[in-house]
Amino acid sequence: MQPFVYNALPARVIFGHGTISQVSTEIHNLGCSKALILTSPGQIKAGQTLQASLGPELAVGLFSKAILHTPVDVTEEAVQLAQTLAADCVVALGGGSTIGLGKAIALRTDLPQIVIPTTYAGSEATAVLGQTQDGIKTTQKSMKVLPEVIIYDVDLTLGLSLRTTITSGINAIAHAVEALYAAEANPITDLLAEQGIERLARALPILSKDPQNKDARSDALYGAWACSVCAGTVGFALHHKLCHAIGGTFNLSHADTHTVLLPHTVAYNAPFTNPAMVKVVRNLGIPEGVSAARGIYDLAKNNGAPYALKDIGMKEEDLERAVDVALKNPYPNPAPLEREKMLALLRDAYEGRRPA
C-alpha cells in the first residue's frame, strides 16, 4: 500500500424518497428559524411549494434568480435580500446553479446551508465555489461554502428531462474520473469513484428509455453523491479547468460542456493514467477493447446527449482563446499541458469526433 492522505469533509446526508419533508426538522437541527429559499427561475413553483410547507414561521422569503455560473451581481442581490429579511440560513432547491448561489451567499455571510439537489451535478458535496465576474469564471476552495446538510430526494429527479438526466449524470462521472488520477488521489476516494461511475453508467441507459424508473433514479442519485464526494475530497485536473474556462467565458451550459469534453480530456490523459483508465473501463461496463474515452463518448451519444461543442453554442473562432484562458492558471495534470495538443483536443470536441 502506497502512502496517502485522506481528508473527510463533514456533512449530514439524508437520502431516500420523500425526504424533502424533513427540511423543517433540519432547519431546527441547525438552530435556525428564518430560512431564505433559493431556486432558479424555472423552479419557482417548487420553491413556492416548499415555502408554503414550511410556513412563515420558518421560511422568510424566496429568491428565484439563480442562474448559470453564479454571477457575482446576482449573488450580491441575494445577499442583500437575506440581510433585509434577517435570514439565518439558506435552503437551496435545484441544480448546480442554485446550489452555487447558496455557496456564494455562505462565503459572504457564513449562513448555514441546506441543499436539496434536483440533478446529478454534484456541487453540494464540495467545498468548491465557481463564480463569474466580467466574463471570467474563477474557482476557490473554502470550508465556508461546504453545505451543512444535503437532502437527496429521489422523487424530485423523476421529472428531469432526458437531456438533463444524461448530461448531469456524465458531469458527475467526470468528477469521479478525474478523482482517480488527481494529484490527491487515494484508495478511499478511488472506491467511491468506481462505485459512482458504475451506478451512473448502469442507470443512465435505463433512464433514457424509462425516465420514471425509480430504481435507476435512485442508483443515479446515489452515484452522483459518490462522485461529488470524490470531487470534494481531491483536486481537479485538465478536464475541470477546460470546463470552467469554456463554460464561464462563453456562457455555455456547465453539464453540456462536461459531457462534450470528458471523452477528449480522458483521451488526452490516457497515456499517463493507465491504472485509472482500467478502473473506468471496468465500471463503465463497456465491450472489451473499447477505451475509456470511447466508452464515455458512446454513453453520451447513444443516450441522446450532445457530443460536439458546436452543437452547444461554442464558436470555432473561440477555441484558441479557450485554450489561452485554461492555461493562465492550470490545475495539476498527469499529462503535460501543451497548447497545440490542447487545441487539437478542443477541435476534436468541437466537431464531435469519437476519440481516436
Side-chain angles (χ1 to χ4, degrees):
M1 175 65 70
Q2 295 293 319
F4 68 89
V5 174
Y6 171 69
N7 289 308
L9 295 177
R12 176 171 167 81
V13 177
I14 300 165
F15 188 100
H17 294 267
T19 50
I20 194 171
S21 64
Q22 299 183 41
V23 173
S24 59
T25 300
E26 295 306 316
I27 291 174
H28 286 303
N29 287 345
L30 289 172
C32 299
S33 61
K34 296 180 178 181
L36 175 62
I37 298 170
L38 309 174
T39 74
S40 66
Q43 292 188 301
I44 293 176
K45 288 185 178 179
Q48 291 171 336
T49 299
L50 177 58
Q51 184 178 16
S53 72
L54 295 175
E57 63 275 11
L58 284 181
V60 294
L62 170 66
F63 185 86
S64 57
K65 299 180 182 180
I67 59 173
L68 201 62
H69 303 303
T70 318
V72 168
D73 58 336
V74 175
T75 300
E76 290 173 347
E77 183 180 352
V79 168
Q80 184 174 11
L81 178 61
Q83 293 172 339
T84 299
L85 296 173
D88 57 9
C89 67
V90 295
V91 178
L93 171 63
S97 297
T98 304
I99 294 168
L101 174 60
K103 295 165 88 168
I105 294 171
L107 180 69
R108 292 160 173 80
T109 65
D110 256 345
L111 290 179
Q113 305 168 72
I114 298 172
V115 297
I116 311 164
T118 58
T119 71
Y120 308 129
S123 173
E124 65 275 1
T126 78
V128 177
L129 170 65
Q131 48 190 352
T132 306
Q133 187 170 25
D134 299 326
I136 300 297
K137 186 169 186 177
T138 58
T139 60
Q140 61 179 293
K141 269 191 173 184
S142 170
M143 291 301 293
K144 291 177 69 173
V145 309
L146 182 71
E148 281 74 12
V149 181
I150 309 170
I151 297 178
Y152 289 106
D153 189 334
V154 178
D155 297 342
L156 298 181
T157 66
L158 294 175
L160 280 178
S161 69
L162 172 61
R163 180 172 178 138
T164 302
T165 295
I166 305 303
T167 58
S168 69
I170 295 177
N171 181 3
I173 288 174
H175 300 327
V177 169
E178 280 214 322
L180 289 169
Y181 55 71
E184 300 89 346
N186 62 78
I188 300 171
T189 53
D190 281 7
L191 290 173
L192 276 173
E194 290 196 64
Q195 195 169 87
I197 293 168
E198 189 273 332
R199 292 293 182 100
L200 282 158
R202 181 175 66 192
L204 295 181
I206 296 172
L207 293 173
S208 71
K209 299 177 178 64
D210 181 13
Q212 297 296 305
N213 188 304
K214 289 191 174 183
D215 288 338
R217 286 287 179 195
S218 184
D219 275 348
L221 193 57
Y222 171 78
W225 170 78
C227 293
S228 64
V229 171
C230 295
T233 305
V234 302
F236 295 140
L238 171 64
H239 173 77
H240 279 80
K241 173 52 70 173
L242 279 175
C243 288
H244 294 158
I246 290 175
T249 305
F250 306 106
N251 199 35
L252 303 185
S253 162
H254 185 72
D256 286 356
T257 306
H258 272 278
T259 300
V260 173
L261 286 180
L262 185 59
H264 303 282
T265 56
V266 166
Y268 186 100
N269 280 322
F272 298 83
T273 58
N274 187 62
M277 294 302 100
V278 170
K279 294 174 183 177
V280 175
V281 168
R282 179 171 66 234
N283 288 283
L284 284 175
I286 54 182
E288 185 177 352
V290 176
S291 68
R294 286 189 165 190
I296 295 167
Y297 178 92
D298 294 343
L299 181 64
K301 185 176 181 180
N302 294 345
N303 290 287
Y307 54 91
L309 286 175
K310 63 183 180 182
D311 294 335
I312 64 170
M314 188 75 183
K315 297 178 181 179
E316 188 171 12
E317 59 265 29
D318 288 331
L319 296 180
E320 294 203 28
R321 184 183 171 203
V323 173
D324 292 337
V325 172
L327 284 172
K328 281 185 179 178
N329 294 291
Y331 299 151
N333 193 68
L337 298 180
E338 300 177 29
R339 189 179 188 281
E340 289 307 310
K341 288 185 178 180
M342 291 171 63
L343 187 56
L345 179 165
L346 288 185
R347 286 179 176 143
D348 285 343
Y350 178 81
E351 296 294 342
R353 300 186 185 102
R354 193 170 186 243

